[in-house]
Amino acid sequence: MCCPRSKAAVEQALLWSTDLSGGNEKVQIPLVNQVDSAQIGTRFRYIREHCTGGNLTGVKRQLRERAQGCTASSTPYSQAGQLSPEWLLKPGWISECSMACKCPPDCSGRVVQRGMVAQLQVVRTSQQHWGVRAVKQIQSGSFVMTVVGQLLDPAEAKRRRRGGPRSQRLVMPIGKMAVAHPGVGDPAQWKDTWVDMSRFANIARFVKHAESLDEANLAAVNVMVDDDRPVVALFASETIEPC
């Protein structure tokens, strides 16, 4: 995420929208431009869950209750809903409680499915790109956002990526970012899944890609909830200060 502002600049910032998500998230996502007159394209639509394109279809999995129930040992989350630094170093997959579980909505096994709670802004940077910054501190291990867009099959993704560098940046092989839950769904099918974030997407569309792992402050984690394909969730790999 980026941090291109000073206190004085914030006071002069031009607020294009009080909530980019249009009420789709539990928290508002202001859109701020203190650089030029650019706005988000009118074709952009904010979505909280994947939609599908090309020949790809959505598939729901058979819901199963946790065999051992919801205990502290059955989830990698702490009671505060955070992942440990050790876990983030070698992230695998997380199977959250599903609708079939009898646990309450505030169960420690339900984090990503409860939605985004981090307070963020989408901002225009001095390099004339859009970026994301934290409004309040995000503690290490905390869930920040999911990666959401239009899921595509390889053929349709290849066709769309012919649009140039911008298309190549926003049409990504999301299957390579995650590993399907063992024994659930079709790992081969997920591996060949792409996501197009150019028109239908959430706030992850605006996150700046780090040049190296050392520069990254977000870690991608595979989370299974109620779908055959894992959700790619981004967790803070270090404490992110407001800037």
Side-chain angles (χ1 to χ4, degrees), residues 113-181:
Q113 63 189 269
R114 292 205 296 260
M116 196 179 87
V117 295
Q119 295 191 30
L120 307 170
Q121 290 181 339
V122 172
V123 297
R124 191 71 168 169
T125 72
S126 58
Q127 291 79 32
Q128 296 185 321
H129 297 295
W130 295 105
V132 179
R133 68 183 175 207
V135 176
K136 292 187 177 181
Q137 184 188 76
I138 303 174
Q139 294 186 354
S140 178
S142 298
F143 168 60
V144 181
M145 67 184 76
T146 55
V147 177
V148 173
Q150 187 177 33
L151 298 179
L152 307 173
D153 58 87
E156 178 64 14
K158 182 178 180 180
R159 185 188 71 80
R160 296 190 186 187
R161 281 173 62 86
R162 293 177 184 147
R166 182 176 179 275
S167 298
Q168 293 171 9
R169 181 176 64 85
L170 293 175
V171 181
M172 304 176 292
I174 194 172
K176 293 183 179 180
M177 299 172 63
V179 178
H181 188 307

